[in-house]
Amino acid sequence: MKKQISDVADLENLARRMRVIVLEMSLNCGEPTHLGGALSIIDTMSVLYGRILVDNDRFILSKGHGVLALYSSLFCQGKLSEKQIKSFQTNGSEFIAHPIMNLEVGIESSNGSLGQGLSMAVGIALSYKKRNIKGKIFVLIGDGECYEGSIWEAAMSAVEFNLDNLIVIVDCNGFQNDGAINEKMNSSYMLNKWKGFSWHCIKCNGHDIESLLHAFDETHINTPKVIIAETIKGKGVDFMENNNDWHHNRMSKKLFDEAMDNLNK
């Protein structure tokens, strides 16, 4: 793991760089990509990979369609080469629309079918406990993903096993594949749902670096922690923000230039 970034402005700059990389990868492949849900988690990923993750920590991207954010994080960490990210969604590439486990480059799990990543994270966290391994297991899930029953089965198990080495981030951008989430699944309700499962719960602005840092730093004892991150789908690009057409869509050169203008403001 590279040296941790201490300055908030540097983490913000990292997030901006990661957004540019996401847009470039989408443009270069010439195919529709999952942009909206990747852009909503960029700031969280910037904090995780720029500051939080240390040796023995593990990160699982359960909302696998946000993989562009993971690829950009690993590229900025020096785990992925320029050649590898330029191969995204091209013939013969292993870097496709959802992550394929590759521990050598830092991809901890294969994910595409939603609801599975948290169960895997519970197993790893429990293994760490049994083997007295120091380290934390982080898993990022989506608010739409929380419609999956396996999420709540895993949530109950994590409490049963007192997995205080497990941290979940829920990306609450208000949308899923086929439209807006139900009102009863918004961030305020989401907070209460996790509290009902006896998790240590924190709600924060998922695009504010200081708010994210505070949420990650808040201590918790003998219980897993969940961070409810309020985000905007497509964050950073005006025509993508809260526009579910960009859950999965094709980036043209004209739209790329417009997106870059937004980021350069």
Side-chain angles (χ1 to χ4, degrees):
M1 194 64 61
K2 285 194 171 184
K3 183 178 179 181
Q4 292 175 300
I5 298 173
S6 59
D7 189 77
V8 169
D10 288 339
L11 288 171
E12 291 171 342
N13 288 332
L14 175 60
R16 183 193 176 281
R17 183 187 178 203
M18 288 165 58
R19 283 192 168 88
V20 172
I21 293 166
V22 164
L23 295 172
E24 289 176 342
M25 291 176 70
S26 181
L27 174 67
N28 290 338
C29 76
E31 299 289 336
T33 60
H34 292 95
L35 278 164
L39 292 173
S40 68
I41 65 174
I42 286 289
D43 301 292
T44 297
M45 298 292 281
S46 169
V47 170
L48 276 169
Y49 280 86
R51 170 76 74 85
I52 301 299
L53 295 174
V54 295
D55 292 340
N56 286 335
D57 288 347
R58 309 278 288 276
F59 172 74
I60 293 172
L61 179 66
S62 189
K63 54 167 281 183
H65 56 283
V67 74
L68 280 167
L70 177 58
Y71 292 152
S72 66
S73 301
L74 294 173
F75 175 73
C76 290
Q77 283 280 313
K79 295 281 190 179
L80 290 180
S81 68
E82 185 173 354
K83 180 180 179 181
Q84 286 172 315
I85 63 168
K86 283 186 175 180
S87 75
F88 171 67
Q89 284 193 184
T90 59
N91 287 339
S93 175
E94 65 180 291
F95 301 102
I96 59 174
H98 294 85
I100 298 174
M101 181 187 285
N102 184 337
L103 299 182
E104 289 186 4
V105 301
I107 301 175
E108 296 279 355
S109 63
S110 298
N111 280 300
S113 181
L114 294 174
Q116 298 181 10
L118 181 54
S119 296
M120 182 178 181
V122 166
I124 296 172
L126 181 58
S127 171
Y128 269 39
K129 286 282 190 180
K130 287 182 175 295
R131 293 184 290 160
N132 293 316
I133 298 176
K134 300 296 183 183
K136 296 179 180 178
I137 315 303
F138 297 84
V139 56
L140 197 155
I141 65 178
D143 48 3
E145 185 177 4
C146 290
Y147 283 106
E148 299 283 354
S150 55
I151 291 292
W152 305 110
E153 292 174 9
M156 285 188 287
S157 297
V159 172
E160 288 286 331
F161 293 123
N162 298 317
L163 298 181
D164 53 4
N165 58 343
L166 177 63
I167 297 94
V168 168
I169 308 101
V170 183
D171 177 46
C172 288
N173 64 34
F175 290 92
Q176 55 186 342
N177 179 42
D178 58 355
I181 62 167
N182 187 283
E183 181 185 345
K184 295 296 178 69
M185 294 294 275
N186 69 27
S187 60
S188 294
Y189 277 95
M190 193 72 71
L191 185 76
N192 290 331
K193 290 178 192 295
W194 288 88
K195 281 183 177 179
F197 281 81
S198 299
W199 283 57
H200 181 85
C201 302
I202 309 161
K203 186 165 69 171
C204 75
N205 180 343
H207 299 305
D208 182 85
I209 299 298
E210 290 186 344
S211 181
L212 283 163
L213 288 171
H214 173 75
F216 280 112
D217 289 342
E218 186 170 308
T219 58
H220 57 114
I221 301 173
N222 295 327
T223 186
K225 178 168 78 174
V226 61
I227 297 169
I228 308 298
E230 296 181 318
T231 64
I232 297 171
K233 195 163 189 174
K235 175 65 176 178
V237 180
D238 289 350
F239 62 85
M240 293 185 190
E241 289 191 357
N242 290 322
N243 180 355
N244 212 46
D245 289 345
W246 286 96
H247 178 87
H248 189 245
N249 210 334
R250 187 189 304 272
M251 175 66 70
S252 68
K253 182 61 167 64
K254 179 180 179 182
L255 290 173
F256 174 81
D257 291 340
E258 185 177 341
M260 289 302 299
D261 285 343
N262 290 166
L263 293 180
N264 287 330
K265 287 180 181 177

